[in-house]
């Protein structure tokens, strides 16, 4: 006899709804797995921070365009999906880890015909370096936190 639950539970049904870039799929209960949610929230903080600080627009424009430096962890997984996918579609090329994936999807083979200017190349390199520095700072911060625990 089947058990009845108050909330919809994950039954193994594959989903077609995914977080772009990460390739995390929403389960049939409209939630991410706990591990994927944690990964999304921690990594997206770095990614969104680098996008937020690299865009040469004013604070007002960032607010009007819905660009934030991190995802709100109080949102449901479906709300996070909408917010993340929107930002990824517009600014995914600024994330070094997802740049190739973004170009393959959104430029559709035009990557060879598109030649970035020197300014864009330098900006891209600077963004990559800033991203790597943030990752190293986070790793260093975690090590200090663990070392000072005892």
């Amino acid at each position: 006899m089947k058990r009845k639950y108050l909330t919809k539970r994950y039954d193994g049904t594959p989903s077609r709804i995914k977080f772009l870039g990460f390739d995390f799929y929403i389960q049939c209960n409209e939630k991410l797995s706990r591990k994927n949610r944690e990964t999304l929230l921690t990594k997206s903080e770095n990614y969104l921070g680098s996008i937020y600080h690299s865009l040469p627009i004013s604070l007002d424009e960032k607010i009007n365009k819905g660009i934030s430096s991190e995802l709100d962890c109080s949102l449901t997984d479906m709300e996070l999906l909408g917010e993340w996918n929107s930002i990824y579609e517009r600014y995914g090329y600024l994330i070094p880890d997802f740049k190739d994936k973004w170009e393959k999807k959104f430029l559709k083979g035009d990557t060879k015909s598109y030649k970035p200017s020197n300014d864009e190349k330098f900006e891209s390199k600077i963004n990559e370096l800033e991203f790597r520095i943030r990752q190293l700072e986070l790793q260093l911060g975690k090590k200090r936190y663990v070392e000072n625990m005892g």
Side-chain angles (χ1 to χ4, degrees), residues 48-69 87 90-91:
L48 294 176
S50 67
I51 291 170
Y52 187 82
H53 295 294
S54 68
L55 291 174
I57 57 176
S58 71
L59 180 62
D60 290 336
E61 287 179 274
K62 289 177 183 175
I63 291 170
N64 290 338
K65 291 183 177 188
I67 303 167
S68 65
S69 60
I87 291 172
R90 289 182 285 160
Y91 305 107

Side-chain angles (χ1 to χ4, degrees), residues 84-99:
W84 171 259
N85 284 353
S86 172
I87 291 172
Y88 177 84
E89 287 172 351
R90 289 182 285 160
Y91 305 107
Y93 63 93
L94 293 173
I95 303 170
D97 292 353
F98 299 146
K99 185 177 186 217

Side-chain angles (χ1 to χ4, degrees), residues 10 19 24-41 77 80:
Y10 177 62
F19 283 82
F24 294 157
Y25 286 88
I26 293 284
Q27 300 171 7
C28 63
N29 60 356
E30 297 184 350
K31 292 187 177 184
L32 274 174
S33 70
R34 184 175 296 138
K35 180 181 172 187
N36 286 348
R37 182 179 172 91
E38 289 171 7
T39 302
L40 171 77
L41 291 173
D77 294 337
L80 287 172

Side-chain angles (χ1 to χ4, degrees), residues 7 9 15 21 42-43 47 62 65-66 72 78 116-118 125 128 135 143-144:
T7 59
R9 298 186 49 95
S15 172
T42 55
K43 286 189 174 186
Y47 298 151
K62 289 177 183 175
K65 291 183 177 188
D72 184 358
M78 292 300 285
S117 68
N118 282 340
K125 286 291 183 192
E128 283 182 46
Q135 284 184 321
K143 286 181 184 176
R144 283 189 185 157

